[in-house]
Structures are given as structure tokens and as C-alpha cells.
Amino acid sequence: MTATPLTTPLHDVHVELGASFTEFAGWSMPVRYSSELAEHRAVREAAGQFDLSHMGEIEVTGADAARALDYALIGNLSGVKVGRARYTMLCDTDGGVLDDLVVYRLAEDRYLVVANAGNAALVAGALRERSEKFDATVTDVGERTALIAVQGPASAAIVAQATGVDLDSLRYYASMPASVDGHEVLLARTGYTGEDGFELFVDVGTDTGTDTGTDTGAAVATWRRLAEIGASHGLLPAGLACRDTLRLEAGMPLYGNELTAARTPFHANLGRVVKFDKPGDFVGRAALERAGDPDVVLVGLRGEGRRAPRHGYRVLDGDREVGEITSGALSPTLGYPIAMAYVTPEVAEPGTTLSVDIRGRKAPVDVVSLPFYQRTKG
């Protein structure tokens, strides 16, 4: 029997907006509202508003919270200052990536770990197991947390008006308490689109003393206020389809595609997130220290015409298979096919010409540096 997909606290809002839905990681999520192309362009040129409430949120608290996370994850979380965040990973003992995470330090003894939706239970379980010998408590707060993102060049103006916060003081990968129309939020300058943007965590939990549940009111009010302000800035509600093309253009990995338990961070050119110089041991350290040069590496590929490589397609050097596509699409911003792929190291140099087997026909591609798209800062 197929389980009924979960719905976010904003589900009824999406229905009102005429969203098309898809099942993703056990959740019924808006895939698009109008068109994914219009939504993609809105994020690049103005702003897009996303419901990310399917993501997992786990709090780690206690006197040893920092030490517990240093042991559980490959990053140096004890070195993160209060109010800042860090991108890191949960690895297995053999160095394989179990999930990639963003960790926010909310206080000296309190962290918020944000996990991918499909891995939330796995991450919470691993953190509990790895924290057992520390004075730290791991609490899954995903059910009581709604997450709204506003991304794009106009996002700062929209969020500043909604919160009354001077955002010039909020740096990238930083967070602070704020409020929207009296509803408290954790406001973070983070995102997954390659644009300036913000994520607002809203507590939708209720506790009567005898029962716990959710109250969608705060999340709905926050969404509507952001949408109201954003209307004059060109903001559009945006679904998962454009989020995928946005992150692909920005060269950002997706768990299950670029990142898997069969690959280490070194395969994905993310060795910089492995902190061997932090205090103490951590899960996966020995395997990662022993890891030699990877047998395949992640690269960007630029194609021609309109036919885009897709996940699982073979990458060829002549007739020899040298890799596999992990993600691919026709780039709405750039106007040509782009893809990320794992290829053998001897063909990974930018400027190398290869081909992709697209339904039995060879399509030429060039290896290029990532990211494909980088916003102009100013």
C-alpha cells in the first residue's frame, strides 16, 4: 500500500495559487505554479519565493553540542561563531557521503542542522547515535518547522521591508532572530540558487501540555506578507523544477545525484569541507585520510543545440565510456545545454571535448569549470 504523501504547512496556499504538485522524498510539493521558465527567470532577475518545509531540521543542544557535532560531521563546527552557519557533510565510516548539510550555530550550546528531506530521519538517527558519549541532546524539530526562502536580486529589499531588519549587517551564511508581522522567525542569508537570498524558519509547533501539533497560521501569514511586499518587485512563487535548474547553473550538488554514499567529498571536488585539523576524531576520518586520488571526478559539461544530457546518460571519449551524467538541463539563463558528470581524471581538464550518448546519438560537449553561472555582485 502506497503511503499518503506528507504536506507542508503551506499546502493550502499552494493549492490556492494553482500549483502543480509532485511527490518528492515522501512529500507533496509544488513543482511549478505558472511555468518553470518564468519562475527561473524571476529568481535570476527579480525574486522567487519557495516553500522548503519538507527539509529536515534537527537541533543539537547541551554543553557538549559543539564537540558532538565535531565528532559526528566532517566540518569544524566548534569553530563556527554564534550567528554564523557552515556547509558540511555527514559521512559514513568509509568516507561515503550520507548527506550534505547546513549547520547554524544559534548559541554557544545550541545548533540547528538542516538536512535534505529524504535523509532527515537518517541524519537525526546518526546524530543521536554519534552524540551518545557527549553531553548533548538531539531533537528532530522538522515537524514543527516551516521554511520559506526568498531568492533573487530583489530578495533583500523584500525581506528588509517584511522584517524591518537592516540586512547590510547580515552576512552570507549568517542568521539572526527576526519577526514578520509579529511572528518570530530565524532569518538566514543562505540559499540554493546562486543568487543573494534568505531563508526564514518559522515555528509552527503547538504544545498544550498534553498534546503537540502544528498551527499553520504563522507560516501562512509569513508567506502572504512576503508575497504581498514582493508583488511590486516582480516576485513569483517558485517550485522545485526551477530550483533544480537554478542550483545546476550555480554548480551546486544535489544529494542522490552528485553526492551519494558511494562517493567521498573528494570525488565531488569538495575536499575543502573535510577538516582534518579540527580537535579530536570524527566519523570517517581514517578512511578519508587514506583516500588516494579519486577514480572519477565531478566536472561541468557544456553542450550545443537544444538537446540536454540527463541523469544516467553515458559520457564518451570517442567510443570509450569515461563517465556518467549526474544532472543536466537546457540552461534557461545561458541558452545552451549544461550538465554535471563524473568522469575519469584524464579527461577532466577544462577544454577537453567529449560526447554524451543521448538516446543513441553522440552529442558533443566540452568540459568547463564550475559554476556555469555566477551572479554579478554589487
Side-chain angles (χ1 to χ4, degrees):
M1 184 175 179
T2 303
T4 302
L6 300 169
T7 58
T8 78
L10 295 164
H11 181 79
D12 290 346
V13 174
H14 306 317
V15 173
E16 290 176 15
L17 291 170
S20 299
F21 290 87
T22 188
E23 186 174 339
F24 180 79
W27 292 80
S28 177
M29 296 297 297
V31 66
R32 68 181 62 82
Y33 299 83
S34 52
S35 79
E36 55 203 75
L37 181 59
E39 293 163 23
H40 181 109
R41 286 178 173 164
V43 175
R44 288 283 180 251
E45 298 170 6
Q49 183 174 6
F50 299 84
D51 178 10
L52 306 180
S53 304
H54 62 311
M55 301 288 283
E57 291 88 14
I58 302 121
E59 283 198 358
V60 182
T61 58
D64 285 346
R67 291 178 58 219
L69 286 173
D70 274 350
Y71 174 72
L73 308 176
I74 63 174
N76 182 2
L77 285 309
S78 61
V80 178
K81 294 180 179 179
V82 173
R84 299 307 305 274
R86 182 156 295 168
Y87 176 75
T88 187
M89 296 179 186
L90 176 79
C91 285
D92 206 344
T93 53
D94 64 1
V97 179
L98 298 177
D99 202 15
D100 62 332
L101 315 162
V102 176
V103 180
Y104 300 85
R105 192 169 195 172
L106 307 182
E108 287 293 331
D109 60 354
R110 183 183 174 211
Y111 291 80
L112 176 66
V113 179
V114 180
N116 286 294
N119 295 330
L122 180 151
V123 172
L127 291 178
R128 288 193 187 98
E129 180 181 342
R130 297 178 187 191
S131 298
E132 287 179 349
K133 61 182 180 181
F134 298 96
D135 180 8
T137 301
V138 176
T139 307
D140 188 339
V141 295
E143 288 189 4
R144 62 178 300 148
T145 305
L147 177 55
I148 300 168
V150 181
Q151 303 280 304
S155 61
I158 296 165
V159 172
Q161 185 176 341
T163 61
V165 170
D166 178 7
L167 296 176
D168 288 342
S169 62
L170 187 65
R171 298 163 60 189
Y172 186 53
Y173 263 64
S175 70
M176 64 181 294
S179 65
V180 177
D181 278 2
H183 299 288
E184 294 183 357
V185 301
L186 175 67
L187 174 63
R189 198 165 203 155
T190 46
Y192 191 54
T193 64
E195 297 295 338
D196 189 19
F198 301 85
E199 296 180 321
L200 296 86
F201 297 83
V202 187
D203 189 345
V204 296
T206 60
D207 191 345
T208 63
T210 58
D211 194 14
T212 59
T214 58
D215 178 2
T216 62
V220 171
T222 300
W223 176 280
R224 293 196 191 282
R225 181 58 176 152
L226 291 165
E228 177 187 16
I229 294 169
S232 63
H233 293 274
L235 176 142
L236 291 179
L240 293 183
C242 81
R243 190 165 182 253
D244 191 49
T245 52
L246 289 160
R247 70 92 193 166
L248 175 57
E249 289 182 345
M252 294 178 169
L254 174 66
Y255 193 85
N257 289 36
E258 287 73 42
L259 302 174
T260 71
R263 308 282 191 212
T264 72
F266 301 116
H267 287 99
N269 299 319
L270 290 169
R272 65 182 183 276
V273 306
V274 184
K275 302 301 181 184
F276 292 118
D277 58 350
K278 66 177 176 176
D281 193 14
F282 62 89
V283 177
R285 178 177 193 135
L288 291 169
E289 284 180 329
R290 291 194 305 268
D293 293 335
D295 57 341
V296 291
V297 292
L298 190 66
V299 299
L301 299 176
R302 172 177 174 166
E304 302 172 353
R306 310 292 292 177
R307 299 202 319 162
R310 300 295 181 184
H311 177 79
Y313 285 11
R314 298 187 305 147
V315 181
L316 305 172
D317 180 18
D319 292 326
R320 181 171 65 100
E321 184 171 341
V322 293
E324 184 175 293
I325 301 295
T326 56
S327 298
L330 180 64
S331 167
T333 303
L334 304 172
Y336 51 76
I338 60 173
M340 287 193 280
Y342 277 111
V343 301
T344 51
E346 78 276 3
V347 297
E349 189 69 25
T352 303
T353 297
L354 302 170
S355 63
V356 177
D357 182 347
I358 300 181
R359 298 177 182 175
R361 300 177 68 178
K362 290 182 180 179
V365 292
D366 291 327
V367 178
V368 296
S369 299
L370 294 171
F372 302 100
Y373 164 87
Q374 196 160 16
R375 70 184 174 95
T376 302
K377 300 180 181 179

